Structures are given as C-alpha cells and as structure tokens.
C-alpha cells in the first residue's frame, strides 16, 4: 500500500474514496477554517469567538502541514491527483476573483474583499504546489529568476516613486501587492524547489550521501537553532516585536522551502489577529448640572488604549479614538463633584480643529466630526453646565508624532531638531489663541485647566527594548519639556487658565516611563499595533495599525488620573461654586485671527504634502538609509544563509 492509501486492487492510485479523503480532507478543512477565521475577524467578532476560530484554524493548518510533509512533494505516478489539484486551484482562483469583482461592483458584503483575497491566495497556492511537483527541474530556475526579478523591479520602482514625494495611486498599490504577495513568494517557492532537488539528487549519488547528509543536516540545524536562539534572546531583552518578526520570518522560510501551506497560515493568522478590532464601549453619560468637559488631542481622548468608545475609531469616519479608560472619563465617573462628561477631545487635533470658526479663518472640523470642538460646545447652548474644563492641545501643531517617526527611522534624529524646535514659538501663539477662544465660549466662572504632555521616556543611560539612542531619547525629552514650556507661556498670555505643571512628571512619579521598566509594564506604548473599526478593508489596512504608538495606555491614564485628582485636592475651592449659569463673556478680546496658521506644516513620513519641512526630513532620511548600505546588504545576506540552511536540512530527509 502506498502512503496515500492505495491498495493493490483498491480502485486507482489514490486508494478509492478513502485515499481521496486522506488527500483532500485536510485541504478542505484548512480552506474552511481559513474562511471561518477571516470572516470572524472581518465582522469584528468578540475576542472569545475569534480565539475559537483561531484555534480551529491552527489545528487544521497543522494537520495539513503534517500531511504534506508526510506525503512528500514528489510527483504522483498517475495524473488524477494533478488534475484534482488543477481543478481545485482553478475553482478557488475563480471563486476568489469573483468575490473581489463583486465587492467592487457595489455588492454590500463587508467580508467579500477579505475572504475573496484569502480564497484567491489559496488557489494560487495549489498551482504553486503543482508547479513544484513537475518532473522538469529545468523549468524551475528560469521561472524563479523571472518572478524574482519582476518582483524586485516593482518594489524598487515604487520605493523610488515614494521617496521622490509622489503618492501611490490605487494602481501602484495593486502593483506593490502583486510584487510582494505574488511574484516574490512564487519565485522563492520555485527557487526553493530547485535547490531541494539539486541537493537531494546530488546527495543521493552512490558513496556521497552519508557524509553530505550529515554535514548538511548539521549545518542547517546549527543555523536554524542560532536564528531561534537569537529570537529568544531578543524576547528576553524586551525586544518582543522584533523577536516575533525574526521567529515569523524563520517559520515562513521553513514553510516555503517545505512546500506546505504553513506560510499562508502564519500570515493569515497574524493578519486576522492584528486587524480584529475589539468591541467598542458605550459612551459615558453626558451628565446634567456639573459636568466635566474634555477638550483637545489624543493625549486627552485616550488614544493608546485597548478599546474605544462606540463610533470613535472608524477609519472611514470618526477617528477621534475616545477611550473609556481615558483619565477624563475616570475622573468624571469617580469624583462625586461631577455628574457627567462632555467628551469632545479628538485624536490628531490641531489648534485649528479646536478654535471656534468665528475666531479664526483657518478653523475647520476634523474628518467625521461636524464642528470644531469649541463650536460643538457652543451649540450645546443652555444644555451645557460645565463645572470644569480640561484641555490638552499643541502637540500635533509642534509635530510631536513626526518627531517619534523620525527618531524610530534610521539615523540620529537629534541632528534635525531645528526642523521642530524652530516651530515652537508659533505653536505657543496658536495655543494661546485657542485658549482665548475657549475662554470666550464659556461662562466666566468656569475654571479651565491646561494639561501639559507627560514625559514618555526616562532619563537613563541604559534602555533595553526601545530602538532609540541615548542622544535621541535626550532630544525627545528636551523637546517635550520645551513644548510644555510654550504651553505654559500660552496659558499666561490667554489669562484665566490654570496650568497643571505636575502632569509633565506623572509617568516618572509612577515609574511608568519607557526605559524605567519593561515595555509591557510601562504606561506608554512604544510601537503599538492596533486596528480600527469600520469596514474590513479599512481594518486590514496596515497604515491604520500604528496609531497607538507613543501614546499613554491604560496604566498611563490611571497615573494621569491620580495626578489630576491630587492637584484638585490642593485646590479645594476650585469646584466649590454652584452650577455655571453665566453667559459667555464676549467682552474678552478676540484671538488674533490667523494665529493658528502660524505653526509650520507638519512633515509626517507616512503622508505626502511636499512641505519644506517634509522635503528636508525625507532628504535626510534617504541619506541615512543609503549611508547604511552595509547593514541593508547584511540583512538579505543573513536571510539567504538561513534559507540555504533550511534547504540543506530539509533536503537531507527528503524522499527520493
């Protein structure tokens, strides 16, 4: 009997129905589990349901991988299995393409694009497997080289266009997807099969198999064990994401060389886990006669949390990302002097997103929000009874997120500090104008508290797990301190605004800064992967996964809450007054019109606006990358060594 269950008289090379079941059962289970997992992730299933789907998918993936490894990859003696593989691949590709076409023609089914893509990839995987089973080894090397060259050329062309400041159109993005997801993987598959056949055939020659098998197996085992040990070492030194990346690349290489679908399984599982946005929480009650009002940017809205308030984390609409764990929400719920919360803070807010439209010609609301934040408060009219207003603004005008991007990128970011620090005086003017606009919109007896930005990184020489040099960490600390000084100056210019100076040191006081403890226990996310709600296309877009980075998490906001409560205790009379009933004091001078236009445009690395700042920063970034060509060359060379070691190891035990 063959390993596929064929019997001497059992009705064909596949052993009849039992043989077909053994051959195709694991494949069908894998396909079903992949569709279930993708559908559950795309519809935003609760984490418990997603974990069950992930467990089922993992079990089916292991079963299929074991079956493929046990059967080997030699061509079958009869053509029937090949015809079945062709048929399965054709059906899957046609089904996946049909789903994608339907999703582009207006069919309202949120899971169609994602499920269609998965089905299409699985169909292509069938053809790759069939290609690798062909007898003619001479076709593998030219095909692999052609696909690899096409993929590399596409990637290089797109990088050049991107580096030149050109945006990527839908067509270019599709071309990038074809290069990364089709050409390069197919070329690597074909080249791996060519290498396996070349080595296994060479080692099978009489008198040479023994020592070569031993030396090849040992070399492969040593290299793979070294890569695994390196990943473990990284994890133990708090480089967890890097360790996961190294481990994933190693598993991907093993899967590709072994010609199993484990590579598809690993990528799909990781994608579904990251893109599965958790269920949103209901909004806090708006309250009645003594409400707390929270105004400002992401440090006030709570971005960085594990979950957000309903309809505030939709990449296609409202992306304010207001969190139930934000310290303003906790204060309003726990302090009996407040009976509710008016929460208008929004992630990404700049001063012209907050200031009243009547006070500055540049004022306009953020995407998905009807009005500027002050105009939202003004439209509440007599229904708004604030007892206290807290505001955090200025960080986005100063380009704080861009500072983080530049420092994480290659090169010493502290050498570019003039691009950011030279903008701080203009930021101060814009913040002062915003404070004055807020003061004019509220009753005169309502206290307003300006909150500075907490120092995210500890002042220490050693810092494991954070990809910043000592000089870069010092630059970020100095930049945050100078930004907070400008915010404090703005409160004095606007007059009648309290400044909560202690908030700058809250993370330090609670020992929650980066570099003060393990990243997983810090009160700030360094690089935080998090999806958004909305359609599956939006949630599976990697551009939406890094917004949690460099923001306080739940632990950080709990520390900020404690600091704010301590500050309130030091000012017992601040909240002793009755409900605010006075009308806004329109006698106050109007802000300087155009003040919020003064801060220079931001220069984010992830968006193209071709500002002077961005062009200078991109030119510096490209120089840093090209100056590190030995490192850039070493990475693919190391991957090549690991790939060759995996081929050597698997070729030793491959059946002939």
């Amino acid at each position: 009997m063959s390993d596929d269950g064929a019997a001497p008289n059992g009705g064909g090379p596949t052993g009849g129905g039992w043989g077909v079941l053994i051959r195709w059962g694991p494949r069908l289970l894998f396909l079903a589990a992949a569709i279930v997992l993708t559908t559950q992730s795309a519809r935003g299933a609760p984490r418990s349901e997603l974990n069950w789907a992930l467990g089922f998918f993992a079990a089916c993936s292991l079963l299929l991988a074991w079956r493929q490894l046990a059967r080997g990859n030699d061509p079958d003696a009869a053509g029937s299995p090949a015809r079945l593989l062709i048929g399965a691949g054709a059906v899957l590709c046609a089904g996946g393409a049909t789903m994608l076409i339907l999703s582009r023609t207006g069919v309202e089914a949120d899971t169609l694009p994602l499920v269609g893509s998965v089905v299409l990839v699985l169909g292509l995987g069938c053809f790759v497997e069939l290609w690798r089973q062909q007898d003619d080894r001479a076709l593998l090397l030219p095909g692999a080289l052609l696909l690899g060259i096409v993929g590399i050329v596409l990637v290089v062309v797109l990088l050049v266009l991107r580096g030149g400041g050109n945006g990527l159109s839908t067509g270019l993005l599709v071309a990038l997807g074809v290069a990364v997801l089709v050409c390069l993987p197919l070329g690597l598959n074909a080249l791996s099969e060519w290498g396996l056949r070349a080595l296994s055939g060479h080692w099978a020659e009489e008198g040479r198999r023994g020592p070569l098998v031993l030396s090849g197996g040992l070399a492969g085992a040593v290299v793979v064990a070294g890569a695994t040990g390196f990943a473990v070492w990284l994890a133990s030194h708090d480089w967890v994401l890097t360790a996961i990346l190294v481990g994933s690349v190693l598993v991907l290489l093993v899967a590709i060389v072994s010609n199993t679908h484990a590579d598809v399984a690993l990528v799909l599982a990781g994608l579904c886990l990251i893109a599965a946005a958790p269920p949103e929480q209901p909004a806090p009650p708006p309250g009645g006669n003594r409400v707390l009002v929270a105004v400002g940017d992401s440090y006030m809205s709570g971005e960085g949390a594990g979950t957000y308030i309903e309809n505030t984390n939709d990449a296609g609409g409202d992306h304010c990302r207001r969190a139930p764990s934000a310290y303003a929400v906790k204060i309003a719920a726990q302090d009996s002097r407040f009976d509710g919360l008016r929460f208008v803070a929004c992630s990404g807010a700049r001063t012209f997103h907050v200031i009243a439209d009547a006070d500055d010609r540049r004022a306009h609301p953020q995407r998905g929000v009807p009005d500027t934040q002050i105009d939202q408060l003004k439209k509440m009219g007599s229904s708004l009874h604030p007892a206290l207003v807290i505001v955090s603004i200025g960080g986005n005008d100063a380009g704080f997120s861009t500072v983080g991007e530049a420092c994480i990128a290659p090169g010493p970011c502290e050498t570019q500090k003039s691009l950011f620090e030279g903008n701080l005086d203009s930021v101060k003017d814009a913040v002062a104008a915003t404070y004055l606009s807020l003061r004019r919109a509220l009753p005169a007896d309502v206290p307003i508290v300006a909150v500075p930005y907490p120092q995210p990184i500890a002042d220490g020489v050693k810092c494991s797990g954070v990809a910043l040099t000592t000089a870069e960490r010092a630059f970020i600390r100095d930049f945050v301190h100078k930004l907070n000084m400008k915010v404090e100056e703005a409160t004095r210019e606007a007059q009648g605004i309290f400044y909560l100076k202690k908030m700058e040191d809250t993370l330090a006081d609670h020992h929650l800064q980066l570099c003060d403890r393990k990243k997983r226990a810090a009160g700030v996310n360094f690089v935080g992967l998090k999806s958004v709600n909305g359609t599956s296309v939006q949630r599976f877009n990697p551009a939406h996964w890094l917004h949690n980075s460099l923001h306080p998490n739940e632990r950080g906001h709990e520390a900020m809450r404690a600091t704010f409560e301590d500050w309130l205790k030091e000012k017992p009379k601040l909240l002793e007054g009755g409900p605010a009933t006075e009308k806004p004091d329109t006698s106050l001078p109007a802000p300087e019109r155009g003040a919020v236009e003064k801060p220079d445009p931001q220069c984010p690395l992830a968006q193209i606006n071709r500002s002077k700042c961005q062009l200078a920063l991109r030119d510096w970034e490209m120089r840093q990358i090209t100056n590190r060509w030995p490192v850039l060359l070493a990475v693919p060379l190391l991957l090549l060594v690991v790939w060759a070691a995996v081929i050597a190891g698997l070729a030793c035990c491959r059946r002939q």
Side-chain angles (χ1 to χ4, degrees), residues 218-436:
L218 286 176
V222 168
V223 173
V224 172
T228 304
F230 179 60
V232 173
W233 180 86
L234 287 172
S236 66
H237 285 72
D238 211 21
W239 296 88
V240 179
L241 286 179
T242 307
I244 293 175
L245 178 61
V246 171
S248 299
V249 169
L250 181 61
V251 174
L252 279 172
L253 287 175
V254 173
I256 289 174
V257 173
S258 64
N259 195 18
T260 67
H261 290 297
D263 51 347
V264 176
L266 181 66
V267 172
L268 180 58
L271 189 68
C272 289
L273 277 177
I274 295 174
E280 294 181 307
Q281 303 296 316
N289 292 323
R290 295 191 58 80
V291 300
L292 176 65
V293 178
V295 178
D297 54 24
S298 56
Y299 271 64
M300 182 65 68
S301 72
E303 182 171 33
T307 187
Y308 296 101
I309 293 171
E310 290 175 340
N311 303 318
T312 67
N313 188 35
D314 186 347
D318 186 333
H319 59 147
C320 288
R321 288 189 276 277
R322 303 184 184 110
S325 58
Y327 71 94
V329 178
K330 291 189 173 184
I331 292 171
Q334 298 173 13
D335 194 321
S336 60
R337 292 170 293 184
F338 302 108
D339 62 4
L341 176 70
R342 293 288 185 173
F343 205 7
V344 296
C346 188
S347 174
R350 292 187 62 179
T351 49
F352 49 71
H353 296 135
V354 177
I355 197 168
D357 181 70
D359 289 334
D360 202 288
R361 61 179 177 272
R362 181 78 186 276
H364 66 272
Q366 291 175 261
R367 186 182 66 183
V369 180
D371 299 288
T372 70
Q373 294 181 30
I374 293 178
D375 283 334
Q376 291 178 56
L377 299 177
K378 292 170 70 173
K379 285 189 175 182
M380 295 177 190
S382 59
S383 65
L384 177 65
H385 301 285
L388 180 68
V389 177
I390 52 178
V391 56
S392 168
I393 196 66
N396 291 314
D397 293 86
F400 182 52
S401 62
T402 307
V403 171
E405 292 177 11
C407 290
I408 293 174
C413 64
E414 72 276 5
T415 61
Q416 303 301 303
K417 63 181 180 180
S418 61
L419 293 177
F420 304 101
E421 292 182 354
N423 189 36
L424 290 179
D425 285 334
S426 296
V427 171
K428 184 252 304 180
D429 295 337
V431 172
T434 306
Y435 288 161
L436 186 55

Side-chain angles (χ1 to χ4, degrees), residues 139-150:
L139 295 177
L140 290 171
L141 184 58
L145 294 177
L146 178 61
L147 286 168
I149 291 172
V150 170

Side-chain angles (χ1 to χ4, degrees), residues 173-196:
L173 288 174
V174 171
L176 180 61
V178 170
V180 174
L181 300 177
V182 179
C183 292
L184 293 178
L186 289 181
L188 189 58
N189 262 283
L191 195 59
S192 299
E193 183 64 24
W194 179 84
L196 280 173

Side-chain angles (χ1 to χ4, degrees), residues 99-190:
M99 293 181 193
L100 292 176
I101 292 172
L102 289 175
S103 69
R104 301 293 295 178
T105 56
V107 176
E108 295 185 2
D110 187 36
T111 59
L112 270 183
L114 200 57
V115 175
S117 300
V118 170
V119 172
L120 181 60
V121 168
L122 293 176
L124 291 174
C126 291
F127 286 114
V128 171
E129 184 179 354
L130 182 65
W131 184 18
R132 292 185 61 163
Q133 291 178 359
Q134 299 308 301
D135 288 327
D136 192 357
R137 193 178 76 188
L139 295 177
L140 290 171
L141 184 58
L145 294 177
L146 178 61
L147 286 168
I149 291 172
V150 170
I152 292 172
V153 168
L154 284 175
V155 171
V156 170
V157 169
L158 293 172
L159 288 176
V160 169
L161 290 175
R162 184 67 170 173
N166 299 307
L168 295 184
S169 64
T170 302
L172 291 176
L173 288 174
V174 171
L176 180 61
V178 170
V180 174
L181 300 177
V182 179
C183 292
L184 293 178
L186 289 181
L188 189 58
N189 262 283

